[in-house]
Amino acid sequence: MARSLSSLIIKGVAGYPAAHSSRIPTNKVESSGLSLKEIVEQDVKENPVMLYMKGVPEFPQCGFSSLAVRVLSHYNVPISARNILEDPELKSAVKAFSHWPTFPQIFIKGEFIGGSDIILNMHQNGELKEKLKDLSANQKSE
Amino acid sequence: MGVTKEQVESTLTSKLNPSHLEVIDTSGGCGASFAIEIVSEQFEGKRLLERHRLVNAALEEEMKQIHALSIKKAVTPEQWKQQQESEKSNPAA
């Protein structure tokens, strides 16, 4: 009883199941030989849920980024993230790619979804569940 | 520094002609972050993403100085009316 309670608390603080997030190290950006625009294109193509945020999922450095992580963590889907605070050039490239001025920015299956207000709204009205349905199903069957 | 609530209101009023607009400075008067509720006919037939894009585009100049913009509501007059009515019919008794 005590153990399950403490694990709940830890989960509550971290806000998402750790096993389901992957942080793409930003240094990969420099060594890959791709342009930043190509990196972003590749990110959103290869990662079903791609998050550009301030900080990392384990430690968001902005309330809005934290909100986005918390919302997505409800769905048991793998979350990939890049920390735009580590790389101002990547930050500009993402903004230019999506034509969106702020962070976080969320992409699902290659589609630009929006920022934290939009993801929260979609969470509340059920659209997000619909969008992530196949991804969370895959996750369970593995 | 930053942008005033009045500037944000006047820009949104002139560009999106809202029938209802509420701008709250969430940075305690610093003009660094705002929360917005906006009702405009220009949102008709547009998805939430496109509505947010309209607001972002209207505030393009201001966004250079605003750190965070939270668009709490971006609805059409029709949706706004429905929301107001459903709130009235569920009074917090």
Side-chain angles (χ1 to χ4, degrees):
Chain A
M1 183 66 192
R3 207 174 105 203
S4 67
L5 188 63
S6 71
S7 73
L8 260 180
I9 291 166
I10 290 163
K11 213 172 156 184
V13 171
Y16 72 101
H20 293 157
S21 105
S22 65
R23 175 150 50 108
I24 306 171
T26 352
N27 57 20
K28 190 180 137 199
V29 170
E30 283 153 32
S31 56
S32 63
L34 294 172
S35 75
L36 284 165
K37 181 169 174 270
E38 287 166 337
I39 297 281
V40 176
E41 282 169 357
Q42 187 176 302
D43 278 351
V44 305
K45 200 170 130 197
E46 291 179 356
N47 301 285
V49 179
M50 184 67 212
L51 187 61
Y52 294 95
M53 62 181 288
K54 294 185 175 175
V56 297
E58 298 85 341
F59 187 60
Q61 285 176 262
C62 162
F64 298 102
S65 289
S66 169
L67 175 64
V69 172
R70 271 186 288 140
V71 167
L72 287 167
S73 70
H74 277 93
Y75 293 87
N76 192 37
V77 293
I79 300 168
S80 308
R82 279 197 203 270
N83 179 4
I84 52 97
L85 291 178
E86 275 181 6
D87 191 337
E89 284 177 19
L90 175 71
K91 181 180 174 183
S92 308
V94 175
K95 280 162 85 166
F97 181 77
S98 57
H99 306 285
W100 192 260
T102 53
F103 288 89
Q105 297 195 10
I106 301 128
F107 293 79
I108 297 177
K109 288 176 259 181
E111 181 196 356
F112 177 59
I113 299 299
S116 59
D117 292 320
I118 291 181
I119 202 85
L120 180 60
N121 190 281
M122 289 173 72
H123 173 60
Q124 288 163 342
N125 70 16
E127 266 181 73
L128 188 57
K129 190 176 178 191
E130 196 55 34
K131 213 167 247 320
L132 294 173
K133 205 169 53 182
D134 53 335
L135 294 177
S136 53
N138 288 346
Q139 194 68 14
K140 268 172 216 149
S141 64
E142 270 170 16
Chain B
M1 277 297 127
V3 176
T4 65
K5 171 178 175 304
E6 288 73 22
Q7 268 173 280
V8 174
E9 282 171 349
S10 96
T11 302
L12 288 174
T13 301
S14 69
K15 295 197 176 159
L16 298 175
N17 190 29
S19 57
H20 167 85
L21 174 66
E22 190 173 350
V23 178
I24 300 163
D25 185 333
T26 48
S27 62
C30 300
S33 62
F34 294 92
I36 290 173
E37 250 185 41
I38 181 167
V39 183
S40 169
E41 279 180 1
Q42 293 186 32
F43 296 146
E44 204 73 59
K46 294 193 170 67
R47 299 192 302 143
L48 190 58
L49 177 67
E50 292 160 323
R51 294 175 184 190
H52 281 222
R53 283 200 191 280
L54 276 178
V55 175
N56 288 338
L59 292 173
E60 197 187 353
E61 276 307 304
E62 287 82 356
M63 285 304 286
K64 290 172 189 165
Q65 293 182 66
I66 298 174
H67 167 72
L69 180 71
S70 179
I71 304 169
K72 297 291 179 199
K73 265 186 194 159
V75 297
T76 62
E78 185 73 8
Q79 291 173 320
W80 177 247
K81 212 175 118 196
Q82 282 171 7
Q83 288 178 6
Q84 296 299 97
E85 274 163 16
S86 75
E87 271 170 38
K88 263 181 228 155
S89 64
N90 295 313

